[in-house]
Short mmCIF file of all heavy atoms in Angstrom, two decimals:
data_model
loop_
_atom_site.label_atom_id
_atom_site.label_comp_id
_atom_site.label_asym_id
_atom_site.label_seq_id
_atom_site.Cartn_x
_atom_site.Cartn_y
_atom_site.Cartn_z
N HIS A 65 3.45 31.80 -4.63
CA HIS A 65 3.05 32.97 -3.84
C HIS A 65 4.26 33.39 -3.01
O HIS A 65 5.08 32.53 -2.64
CB HIS A 65 1.87 32.62 -2.93
CG HIS A 65 1.27 33.81 -2.24
ND1 HIS A 65 1.72 34.24 -1.02
CD2 HIS A 65 0.29 34.65 -2.61
CE1 HIS A 65 1.02 35.30 -0.65
NE2 HIS A 65 0.14 35.58 -1.61
N GLN A 66 4.36 34.67 -2.74
CA GLN A 66 5.54 35.15 -2.01
C GLN A 66 5.68 34.55 -0.60
O GLN A 66 6.73 34.60 0.01
CB GLN A 66 5.55 36.67 -1.93
CG GLN A 66 4.33 37.24 -1.28
CD GLN A 66 4.29 38.76 -1.32
OE1 GLN A 66 5.12 39.37 -1.97
NE2 GLN A 66 3.34 39.35 -0.63
N SER A 67 4.60 33.96 -0.11
CA SER A 67 4.67 33.30 1.21
C SER A 67 5.29 31.91 1.10
O SER A 67 5.26 31.16 2.07
CB SER A 67 3.27 33.17 1.79
OG SER A 67 2.49 32.33 0.95
N LYS A 104 -1.37 13.52 7.26
CA LYS A 104 -2.48 13.29 8.20
C LYS A 104 -3.73 13.95 7.64
O LYS A 104 -3.77 15.17 7.48
CB LYS A 104 -2.08 13.90 9.53
CG LYS A 104 -3.03 13.63 10.64
CD LYS A 104 -2.44 14.21 11.90
CE LYS A 104 -3.52 14.49 12.91
NZ LYS A 104 -3.04 15.32 14.00
N ILE A 106 -7.05 15.65 7.65
CA ILE A 106 -7.79 16.33 8.71
C ILE A 106 -9.17 16.76 8.26
O ILE A 106 -10.01 17.08 9.08
CB ILE A 106 -7.00 17.54 9.29
CG1 ILE A 106 -6.59 18.50 8.20
CG2 ILE A 106 -5.82 17.07 10.09
CD1 ILE A 106 -5.94 19.77 8.75
N SER A 107 -9.42 16.77 6.95
CA SER A 107 -10.77 17.08 6.50
C SER A 107 -10.98 16.56 5.08
O SER A 107 -10.04 16.46 4.30
CB SER A 107 -10.98 18.60 6.54
OG SER A 107 -12.33 18.89 6.33
N LYS A 108 -12.21 16.24 4.79
CA LYS A 108 -12.54 15.69 3.46
C LYS A 108 -13.92 16.18 3.06
O LYS A 108 -14.79 16.35 3.90
CB LYS A 108 -12.54 14.17 3.55
CG LYS A 108 -12.98 13.47 2.28
CD LYS A 108 -13.05 11.97 2.50
CE LYS A 108 -13.52 11.25 1.26
NZ LYS A 108 -14.95 11.44 0.98
N GLU A 109 -14.09 16.44 1.79
CA GLU A 109 -15.38 16.91 1.30
C GLU A 109 -15.61 16.30 -0.07
O GLU A 109 -14.70 16.29 -0.90
CB GLU A 109 -15.34 18.44 1.19
CG GLU A 109 -16.68 19.10 1.13
CD GLU A 109 -16.54 20.62 1.16
OE1 GLU A 109 -15.75 21.17 0.35
OE2 GLU A 109 -17.20 21.25 1.98
N SER A 122 -12.35 16.71 -2.24
CA SER A 122 -11.27 17.55 -1.72
C SER A 122 -10.74 16.93 -0.42
O SER A 122 -11.53 16.43 0.40
CB SER A 122 -11.79 18.95 -1.39
OG SER A 122 -12.44 19.50 -2.51
N PHE A 123 -9.45 16.96 -0.27
CA PHE A 123 -8.83 16.39 0.92
C PHE A 123 -7.85 17.39 1.51
O PHE A 123 -7.00 17.92 0.79
CB PHE A 123 -8.04 15.11 0.57
CG PHE A 123 -8.88 14.04 -0.04
CD1 PHE A 123 -9.04 13.96 -1.41
CD2 PHE A 123 -9.53 13.12 0.76
CE1 PHE A 123 -9.83 12.98 -1.99
CE2 PHE A 123 -10.32 12.13 0.21
CZ PHE A 123 -10.47 12.05 -1.17
N LEU A 124 -7.97 17.61 2.80
CA LEU A 124 -7.03 18.52 3.46
C LEU A 124 -6.11 17.70 4.36
O LEU A 124 -6.57 16.96 5.23
CB LEU A 124 -7.78 19.56 4.29
CG LEU A 124 -6.91 20.58 5.03
CD1 LEU A 124 -6.02 21.36 4.06
CD2 LEU A 124 -7.76 21.56 5.82
N GLU A 126 -2.39 17.39 6.71
CA GLU A 126 -1.36 18.08 7.46
C GLU A 126 -0.08 17.30 7.24
O GLU A 126 -0.08 16.06 7.31
CB GLU A 126 -1.71 18.06 8.94
CG GLU A 126 -1.37 19.32 9.66
CD GLU A 126 -2.08 19.35 10.99
OE1 GLU A 126 -1.90 18.41 11.77
OE2 GLU A 126 -2.82 20.30 11.23
N ASN A 128 3.93 17.75 8.42
CA ASN A 128 4.87 18.58 9.19
C ASN A 128 4.21 19.92 9.51
O ASN A 128 3.12 19.94 10.05
CB ASN A 128 6.18 18.76 8.42
CG ASN A 128 6.90 17.42 8.28
OD1 ASN A 128 6.74 16.54 9.12
ND2 ASN A 128 7.65 17.25 7.23
N ASN A 131 -0.05 22.67 5.58
CA ASN A 131 -1.36 22.13 5.20
C ASN A 131 -1.33 21.92 3.69
O ASN A 131 -0.77 22.75 2.96
CB ASN A 131 -2.48 23.10 5.54
CG ASN A 131 -3.04 22.86 6.94
OD1 ASN A 131 -3.84 23.63 7.43
ND2 ASN A 131 -2.65 21.78 7.60
N LEU A 133 -3.89 20.99 0.48
CA LEU A 133 -5.24 20.73 -0.02
C LEU A 133 -5.13 20.05 -1.37
O LEU A 133 -4.52 20.60 -2.30
CB LEU A 133 -6.01 22.05 -0.15
CG LEU A 133 -7.40 21.94 -0.79
CD1 LEU A 133 -8.38 21.23 0.14
CD2 LEU A 133 -7.94 23.32 -1.16
N ILE A 152 1.20 26.20 7.64
CA ILE A 152 -0.09 26.21 8.33
C ILE A 152 -0.51 27.63 8.71
O ILE A 152 -1.68 27.98 8.61
CB ILE A 152 -0.04 25.29 9.57
CG1 ILE A 152 0.05 23.83 9.10
CG2 ILE A 152 -1.25 25.47 10.46
CD1 ILE A 152 0.25 22.83 10.20
N LEU A 153 0.47 28.44 9.09
CA LEU A 153 0.13 29.79 9.55
C LEU A 153 -0.52 30.64 8.46
O LEU A 153 -1.36 31.48 8.73
CB LEU A 153 1.39 30.50 10.06
CG LEU A 153 1.76 30.25 11.52
CD1 LEU A 153 3.04 30.96 11.87
CD2 LEU A 153 0.64 30.69 12.46
N SER A 154 -0.11 30.44 7.20
CA SER A 154 -0.66 31.28 6.14
C SER A 154 -1.68 30.55 5.29
O SER A 154 -2.30 31.15 4.41
CB SER A 154 0.48 31.80 5.25
OG SER A 154 1.29 30.74 4.82
N PHE A 155 -1.89 29.28 5.57
CA PHE A 155 -2.76 28.47 4.71
C PHE A 155 -4.16 29.07 4.58
O PHE A 155 -4.67 29.28 3.48
CB PHE A 155 -2.84 27.05 5.29
CG PHE A 155 -3.62 26.11 4.42
CD1 PHE A 155 -3.01 25.39 3.41
CD2 PHE A 155 -4.99 25.94 4.60
CE1 PHE A 155 -3.73 24.54 2.60
CE2 PHE A 155 -5.72 25.09 3.80
CZ PHE A 155 -5.08 24.38 2.80
N ASP A 156 -4.80 29.35 5.69
CA ASP A 156 -6.18 29.83 5.66
C ASP A 156 -6.28 31.20 4.98
O ASP A 156 -7.28 31.50 4.34
CB ASP A 156 -6.74 29.93 7.09
CG ASP A 156 -7.05 28.56 7.66
OD1 ASP A 156 -7.04 27.59 6.88
OD2 ASP A 156 -7.29 28.46 8.87
N ILE A 157 -5.24 32.00 5.17
CA ILE A 157 -5.30 33.37 4.66
C ILE A 157 -5.33 33.38 3.13
O ILE A 157 -5.98 34.20 2.51
CB ILE A 157 -4.13 34.19 5.25
CG1 ILE A 157 -4.42 34.40 6.74
CG2 ILE A 157 -3.94 35.52 4.53
CD1 ILE A 157 -3.24 34.74 7.58
N LEU A 158 -4.65 32.42 2.51
CA LEU A 158 -4.63 32.36 1.05
C LEU A 158 -5.74 31.49 0.48
O LEU A 158 -5.93 31.42 -0.74
CB LEU A 158 -3.28 31.81 0.57
CG LEU A 158 -2.05 32.62 0.98
CD1 LEU A 158 -0.80 31.93 0.49
CD2 LEU A 158 -2.12 34.03 0.40
N LEU A 159 -6.45 30.82 1.35
CA LEU A 159 -7.42 29.83 0.90
C LEU A 159 -8.49 30.41 -0.02
O LEU A 159 -8.90 29.78 -0.99
CB LEU A 159 -8.07 29.18 2.13
CG LEU A 159 -8.72 27.82 1.96
CD1 LEU A 159 -7.80 26.84 1.25
CD2 LEU A 159 -9.13 27.26 3.31
N ASP A 160 -8.92 31.62 0.26
CA ASP A 160 -9.97 32.23 -0.55
C ASP A 160 -9.50 32.38 -2.01
O ASP A 160 -10.21 32.02 -2.95
CB ASP A 160 -10.34 33.60 0.04
CG ASP A 160 -11.55 34.18 -0.67
OD1 ASP A 160 -12.42 33.40 -1.09
OD2 ASP A 160 -11.61 35.42 -0.82
N LEU A 163 -9.32 28.91 -3.62
CA LEU A 163 -10.62 28.35 -4.00
C LEU A 163 -11.22 29.10 -5.19
O LEU A 163 -11.94 28.52 -6.00
CB LEU A 163 -11.57 28.35 -2.80
CG LEU A 163 -11.15 27.37 -1.68
CD1 LEU A 163 -12.08 27.48 -0.48
CD2 LEU A 163 -11.14 25.93 -2.18
N ASN A 164 -10.91 30.39 -5.29
CA ASN A 164 -11.34 31.15 -6.46
C ASN A 164 -10.71 30.59 -7.72
O ASN A 164 -11.35 30.48 -8.76
CB ASN A 164 -10.88 32.62 -6.33
CG ASN A 164 -11.99 33.48 -5.80
OD1 ASN A 164 -13.15 33.25 -6.11
ND2 ASN A 164 -11.64 34.46 -5.00
N ASP B 409 -7.34 17.71 16.47
CA ASP B 409 -6.41 16.70 15.97
C ASP B 409 -5.32 17.32 15.12
O ASP B 409 -4.47 16.63 14.60
CB ASP B 409 -7.16 15.68 15.12
CG ASP B 409 -8.04 14.82 15.97
OD1 ASP B 409 -7.65 14.57 17.12
OD2 ASP B 409 -9.09 14.43 15.50
N GLU B 410 -5.39 18.60 14.95
CA GLU B 410 -4.47 19.21 14.01
C GLU B 410 -3.23 19.76 14.73
O GLU B 410 -3.19 19.84 15.94
CB GLU B 410 -5.20 20.30 13.24
CG GLU B 410 -6.39 19.68 12.51
CD GLU B 410 -7.28 20.69 11.87
OE1 GLU B 410 -6.80 21.78 11.56
OE2 GLU B 410 -8.46 20.40 11.70
N ALA B 411 -2.28 20.14 13.93
CA ALA B 411 -0.99 20.53 14.51
C ALA B 411 -1.12 21.77 15.39
O ALA B 411 -2.03 22.56 15.23
CB ALA B 411 0.00 20.82 13.40
N ILE B 413 -0.01 25.32 16.49
CA ILE B 413 0.71 26.49 16.00
C ILE B 413 0.90 27.40 17.19
O ILE B 413 -0.07 27.83 17.80
CB ILE B 413 -0.11 27.24 14.93
CG1 ILE B 413 -0.47 26.29 13.81
CG2 ILE B 413 0.66 28.43 14.39
CD1 ILE B 413 0.71 25.63 13.17
N ASP B 415 3.38 30.02 17.27
CA ASP B 415 4.27 31.15 17.09
C ASP B 415 3.55 32.41 16.59
O ASP B 415 4.17 33.30 16.04
CB ASP B 415 5.44 30.80 16.17
CG ASP B 415 5.00 30.12 14.91
OD1 ASP B 415 3.78 29.91 14.78
OD2 ASP B 415 5.85 29.81 14.07
N ILE B 416 2.25 32.46 16.75
CA ILE B 416 1.57 33.73 16.46
C ILE B 416 1.73 34.65 17.67
O ILE B 416 1.61 34.21 18.82
CB ILE B 416 0.09 33.53 16.09
CG1 ILE B 416 -0.59 34.88 15.98
CG2 ILE B 416 -0.63 32.64 17.06
CD1 ILE B 416 -1.99 34.82 15.40
N LYS B 440 -7.42 26.69 15.00
CA LYS B 440 -6.17 27.21 14.45
C LYS B 440 -6.23 28.72 14.35
O LYS B 440 -7.27 29.28 14.02
CB LYS B 440 -5.93 26.66 13.05
CG LYS B 440 -4.86 25.62 12.98
CD LYS B 440 -4.62 25.22 11.56
CE LYS B 440 -3.78 23.98 11.49
NZ LYS B 440 -4.20 22.89 12.32
N VAL B 441 -5.09 29.32 14.60
CA VAL B 441 -4.96 30.75 14.37
C VAL B 441 -3.73 30.94 13.50
O VAL B 441 -2.66 30.44 13.81
CB VAL B 441 -4.80 31.52 15.70
CG1 VAL B 441 -4.68 33.01 15.44
CG2 VAL B 441 -5.97 31.25 16.62
N GLY B 442 -3.91 31.62 12.37
CA GLY B 442 -2.79 31.84 11.45
C GLY B 442 -2.50 33.31 11.30
O GLY B 442 -3.30 34.18 11.69
N ASN B 443 -1.35 33.59 10.73
CA ASN B 443 -0.97 35.00 10.57
C ASN B 443 -0.06 35.15 9.35
O ASN B 443 0.83 34.35 9.12
CB ASN B 443 -0.26 35.48 11.84
CG ASN B 443 0.41 36.83 11.65
OD1 ASN B 443 1.58 36.97 11.96
ND2 ASN B 443 -0.30 37.81 11.13
N TYR B 444 -0.34 36.19 8.56
CA TYR B 444 0.53 36.54 7.45
C TYR B 444 0.43 38.05 7.27
O TYR B 444 -0.65 38.58 6.94
CB TYR B 444 0.10 35.79 6.19
CG TYR B 444 1.01 36.03 5.01
CD1 TYR B 444 2.30 35.52 5.01
CD2 TYR B 444 0.57 36.75 3.91
CE1 TYR B 444 3.15 35.74 3.93
CE2 TYR B 444 1.40 36.97 2.83
CZ TYR B 444 2.68 36.46 2.84
OH TYR B 444 3.52 36.68 1.78
N TYR B 445 1.50 38.75 7.55
CA TYR B 445 1.51 40.21 7.53
C TYR B 445 0.32 40.76 8.32
O TYR B 445 0.18 40.45 9.49
CB TYR B 445 1.54 40.75 6.10
CG TYR B 445 2.89 40.51 5.45
CD1 TYR B 445 3.08 39.47 4.56
CD2 TYR B 445 3.99 41.30 5.79
CE1 TYR B 445 4.32 39.23 4.00
CE2 TYR B 445 5.23 41.07 5.23
CZ TYR B 445 5.41 40.04 4.34
OH TYR B 445 6.63 39.79 3.80
N TYR B 447 -2.77 40.06 8.15
CA TYR B 447 -3.91 39.15 8.18
C TYR B 447 -3.79 38.20 9.37
O TYR B 447 -2.70 37.69 9.64
CB TYR B 447 -3.97 38.29 6.93
CG TYR B 447 -4.16 39.06 5.64
CD1 TYR B 447 -3.08 39.60 4.95
CD2 TYR B 447 -5.44 39.21 5.09
CE1 TYR B 447 -3.25 40.28 3.77
CE2 TYR B 447 -5.62 39.90 3.89
CZ TYR B 447 -4.52 40.43 3.23
OH TYR B 447 -4.70 41.09 2.06
N VAL B 448 -4.90 37.96 10.03
CA VAL B 448 -4.95 36.90 11.03
C VAL B 448 -6.16 36.03 10.70
O VAL B 448 -7.26 36.54 10.44
CB VAL B 448 -5.07 37.47 12.47
CG1 VAL B 448 -5.33 36.34 13.47
CG2 VAL B 448 -3.79 38.20 12.85
N SER B 449 -5.93 34.72 10.65
CA SER B 449 -7.04 33.82 10.32
C SER B 449 -7.43 33.00 11.55
O SER B 449 -6.58 32.66 12.38
CB SER B 449 -6.64 32.89 9.19
OG SER B 449 -5.57 32.07 9.59
N PHE B 450 -8.71 32.73 11.63
CA PHE B 450 -9.25 31.91 12.73
C PHE B 450 -9.98 30.75 12.09
O PHE B 450 -10.89 30.97 11.29
CB PHE B 450 -10.23 32.72 13.58
CG PHE B 450 -9.61 33.93 14.24
CD1 PHE B 450 -9.49 35.13 13.54
CD2 PHE B 450 -9.15 33.88 15.54
CE1 PHE B 450 -8.92 36.25 14.13
CE2 PHE B 450 -8.57 34.98 16.14
CZ PHE B 450 -8.45 36.18 15.44
N ARG B 451 -9.57 29.55 12.41
CA ARG B 451 -10.24 28.39 11.82
C ARG B 451 -11.06 27.68 12.90
O ARG B 451 -10.52 27.27 13.93
CB ARG B 451 -9.22 27.41 11.24
CG ARG B 451 -9.85 26.31 10.41
CD ARG B 451 -8.88 25.21 10.09
NE ARG B 451 -7.80 25.61 9.20
CZ ARG B 451 -6.89 24.74 8.73
NH1 ARG B 451 -6.96 23.47 9.05
NH2 ARG B 451 -5.92 25.17 7.95
N LYS B 453 -13.77 24.56 13.79
CA LYS B 453 -14.21 23.25 13.30
C LYS B 453 -15.72 23.13 13.45
O LYS B 453 -16.26 23.37 14.53
CB LYS B 453 -13.52 22.15 14.11
CG LYS B 453 -13.87 20.74 13.68
CD LYS B 453 -12.98 20.27 12.58
CE LYS B 453 -13.19 18.79 12.25
NZ LYS B 453 -12.41 18.37 11.10
N LYS B 487 -19.54 32.78 1.40
CA LYS B 487 -18.54 33.81 1.75
C LYS B 487 -19.22 35.17 1.97
O LYS B 487 -20.01 35.61 1.15
CB LYS B 487 -17.49 33.94 0.64
CG LYS B 487 -16.39 34.93 0.98
CD LYS B 487 -15.20 34.81 0.05
CE LYS B 487 -15.47 35.44 -1.30
NZ LYS B 487 -14.29 35.39 -2.17
N MET B 500 -15.86 32.64 5.81
CA MET B 500 -15.97 31.65 4.74
C MET B 500 -16.32 30.26 5.25
O MET B 500 -15.88 29.85 6.33
CB MET B 500 -14.64 31.58 3.98
CG MET B 500 -14.29 32.86 3.26
SD MET B 500 -12.75 32.73 2.37
CE MET B 500 -11.60 32.69 3.70
N ILE B 502 -15.60 26.64 4.43
CA ILE B 502 -14.66 25.85 3.63
C ILE B 502 -14.51 24.47 4.25
O ILE B 502 -14.24 24.37 5.46
CB ILE B 502 -13.29 26.55 3.57
CG1 ILE B 502 -13.42 27.88 2.83
CG2 ILE B 502 -12.26 25.67 2.88
CD1 ILE B 502 -12.21 28.78 2.98
N LEU B 503 -14.64 23.44 3.45
CA LEU B 503 -14.62 22.06 3.94
C LEU B 503 -15.55 21.99 5.16
O LEU B 503 -16.67 22.47 5.08
CB LEU B 503 -13.18 21.63 4.28
CG LEU B 503 -12.24 21.57 3.08
CD1 LEU B 503 -10.78 21.55 3.51
CD2 LEU B 503 -12.51 20.35 2.22
N ASP B 504 -15.10 21.41 6.27
CA ASP B 504 -15.97 21.45 7.44
C ASP B 504 -15.45 22.48 8.45
O ASP B 504 -15.44 22.26 9.65
CB ASP B 504 -16.12 20.07 8.09
CG ASP B 504 -14.80 19.40 8.34
OD1 ASP B 504 -13.77 19.99 7.97
OD2 ASP B 504 -14.79 18.30 8.90
N TYR B 505 -15.04 23.61 7.93
CA TYR B 505 -14.52 24.68 8.77
C TYR B 505 -15.30 25.98 8.53
O TYR B 505 -15.83 26.20 7.44
CB TYR B 505 -13.06 24.98 8.46
CG TYR B 505 -12.15 23.80 8.63
CD1 TYR B 505 -11.52 23.21 7.54
CD2 TYR B 505 -11.90 23.27 9.89
CE1 TYR B 505 -10.67 22.13 7.70
CE2 TYR B 505 -11.06 22.19 10.06
CZ TYR B 505 -10.45 21.62 8.96
OH TYR B 505 -9.62 20.55 9.13
N VAL B 507 -13.97 29.62 8.44
CA VAL B 507 -12.70 30.35 8.47
C VAL B 507 -13.01 31.84 8.45
O VAL B 507 -13.76 32.33 7.60
CB VAL B 507 -11.80 29.98 7.27
CG1 VAL B 507 -10.54 30.84 7.25
CG2 VAL B 507 -11.43 28.51 7.33
N ILE B 509 -11.18 35.52 8.32
CA ILE B 509 -9.91 36.21 8.10
C ILE B 509 -10.10 37.69 8.39
O ILE B 509 -10.99 38.34 7.82
CB ILE B 509 -9.41 35.99 6.66
CG1 ILE B 509 -9.13 34.50 6.47
CG2 ILE B 509 -8.15 36.80 6.39
CD1 ILE B 509 -8.92 34.08 5.07
#
Side-chain angles (χ1 to χ4, degrees):
Chain A
H65 188 271
Q66 58 185 8
S67 63
K104 186 176 157 193
I106 55 174
S107 190
K108 175 184 179 287
E109 198 175 51
S122 307
F123 300 91
L124 180 58
E126 218 164 56
N128 295 332
N131 269 172
L133 174 70
I152 290 174
L153 274 178
S154 52
F155 185 89
D156 286 348
I157 289 160
L158 300 178
L159 201 50
D160 188 33
L163 292 177
N164 263 325
Chain B
D409 289 327
E410 302 172 25
I413 304 304
D415 49 359
I416 173 170
K440 253 185 193 49
V441 180
N443 168 231
Y444 184 69
Y445 288 102
Y447 297 85
V448 172
S449 63
F450 299 84
R451 190 192 293 185
K453 181 87 173 175
K487 183 166 77 177
M500 295 181 289
I502 296 167
L503 295 163
D504 50 358
Y505 301 113
V507 175
I509 296 168

